[in-house]
Amino acid sequence: MTVFRDPIALQEALKGLQGSIALVPTMGALHLGHRTLMEQARQDNDIVVVSIFVNPTQFLEGEDLENYPRKEEADRRICELSGVDYLFYPDATVMYGHDEVHICAPDIRAYVLEGLLRPGHFDGVLTVVLKLFHIVMPDRAYFGKKDAQQLALIEQMLRNFFLQISIVAVDTVRENDGLALSSRNVYLSDAQRQEALKISSALNHAGKMIAQGVRNTEEIIQQMQQIMAPLEVEYIACVNRAFQYLEHIEMGNSIILVAARVGTTRLIDNVQL
Ligand code: PAF
């Protein structure tokens, strides 16, 4: 595995290579969820590039940019073990200059749910993802379904900018007890980790209600709220794939999304129906 810190040097190394190129963009603190993305990328492609960059522009004032877990050595080892060919590990000074062109996320889809609570977050995500796409020019890029709104916006950006990159959406990886893997889980104490399970329990409960034929989203959300009551719930929402709120679940076109704080840690999760 070769490590690059300079975007131009990585572009030079990739130029003229034969075969399909995969990009797995990450912010590091790699866990089994990331490994699943890398393994899928390895299976599908000739060349696998992983980027690790804690992107400052997607953090809002007062968020955890400074404390975001950084584990360079462990991450490097995980990439090696996952068969990654090129690790791109830039710092903010090479990724951003002054007074830059940047991307504005779309008004409707980016300003509900996560985007409403974290205004500007998706501008930062789309800006850095577009930069990474231009640096690597991958055939395929791999993202987890846990960040469902991010995924939908990246897909929209590709359509809007006519970029020929296939997005591979990979299922959320969970602990045995249901907790969705996240780099931010390291912030949780043992007691908070137990509390956090209420998120996946509420989503499982919603899945059971729907399997029993319930379609009314208000009824589903009410019961989920009861399960999640001890947490500081930021939202529970049922939307379609265009991120419009639904009164009734449409099978094959619905997502139930939740965001909640457990102590000071903000967690998101969802189920796609
Ligand atoms: O999902 C993430 O880890 C980040 O938002 C991404 C896509 C790597 C952009 O910084």
Side-chain angles (χ1 to χ4, degrees):
M1 184 177 80
T2 318
V3 182
F4 287 91
R5 295 198 181 263
D6 175 24
I8 310 289
L10 175 60
Q11 278 180 320
E12 289 300 323
L14 293 172
K15 208 183 274 176
L17 288 182
Q18 296 296 313
S20 59
I21 300 182
L23 172 64
V24 184
T26 81
M27 297 207 301
L30 303 177
H31 50 64
L32 194 61
H34 297 111
R35 287 190 70 164
T36 310
L37 299 178
M38 294 180 207
E39 277 156 21
Q40 186 68 53
R42 184 68 284 170
Q43 268 177 37
D44 301 345
N45 299 279
D46 300 300
I47 298 146
V48 177
V49 183
V50 170
S51 64
I52 296 182
F53 178 57
V54 182
N55 172 37
T57 63
Q58 69 188 74
F59 287 79
L60 271 66
E61 198 71 31
E63 290 189 344
D64 57 345
L65 173 62
E66 299 308 325
N67 299 329
Y68 195 84
R70 288 166 174 85
K71 302 183 173 174
E72 184 164 348
E73 265 323 298
D75 285 351
R76 198 187 276 241
R77 187 90 196 99
I78 288 173
C79 290
E80 257 162 9
L81 289 172
S82 307
V84 170
D85 300 298
Y86 297 98
L87 174 58
F88 180 45
Y89 215 129
D91 65 32
T93 56
V94 295
M95 290 298 278
Y96 291 104
H98 292 297
D99 192 24
E100 286 220 330
V101 173
H102 65 105
I103 301 299
C104 293
D107 289 340
I108 300 171
R109 266 203 219 178
Y111 284 90
V112 291
L113 305 169
E114 284 301 287
L116 193 65
L117 293 167
R118 305 178 70 194
H121 165 68
F122 288 122
D123 296 358
V125 170
L126 294 184
T127 301
V128 80
V129 169
L130 191 61
K131 282 176 186 262
L132 292 168
F133 284 168
H134 280 291
I135 294 165
V136 177
M137 294 290 195
D139 298 282
R140 300 188 185 90
Y142 292 74
F143 295 91
K145 288 187 188 170
K146 187 168 77 67
D147 295 292
Q149 198 173 358
Q150 163 175 287
L151 187 59
L153 289 165
I154 291 169
E155 284 170 338
Q156 181 175 341
M157 177 172 72
L158 292 181
R159 284 193 302 276
N160 290 167
F161 290 163
F162 306 100
L163 282 173
Q164 301 266 354
I165 297 169
S166 303
I167 299 296
V168 182
V170 178
D171 286 340
T172 302
V173 179
R174 296 177 182 280
E175 306 272 12
N176 288 339
D177 56 13
L179 183 70
L181 294 190
S182 160
S183 302
R184 290 189 166 101
N185 289 353
V186 298
Y187 300 145
L188 301 171
S189 67
D190 289 348
Q192 287 172 335
R193 204 192 158 288
Q194 283 307 112
E195 285 285 280
L197 292 178
K198 295 195 163 59
I199 297 174
S200 51
S201 301
L203 287 167
N204 280 340
H205 183 75
K208 282 186 196 143
M209 288 177 79
I210 292 159
Q212 286 160 7
V214 181
R215 293 289 178 271
N216 182 288
T217 56
E218 204 180 307
E219 205 180 321
I220 294 167
I221 290 172
Q222 253 171 27
Q223 294 207 15
M224 290 179 71
Q225 266 161 350
Q226 279 169 20
I227 296 172
M228 291 175 64
L231 308 180
E232 191 189 320
V233 176
E234 291 194 349
Y235 59 76
I236 302 176
C238 300
V239 298
N240 62 19
R241 300 288 155 124
F243 281 81
Q244 293 155 331
Y245 290 97
L246 292 174
E247 282 179 21
H248 294 98
I249 296 290
E250 297 164 7
M251 292 310 286
N253 185 33
S254 303
I255 315 181
I256 305 180
L257 304 109
V258 301
R261 278 182 195 275
V262 185
T264 52
T265 307
R266 188 170 185 281
L267 300 174
I268 59 170
D269 201 350
N270 67 73
V271 61
Q272 314 212 356
L273 304 157

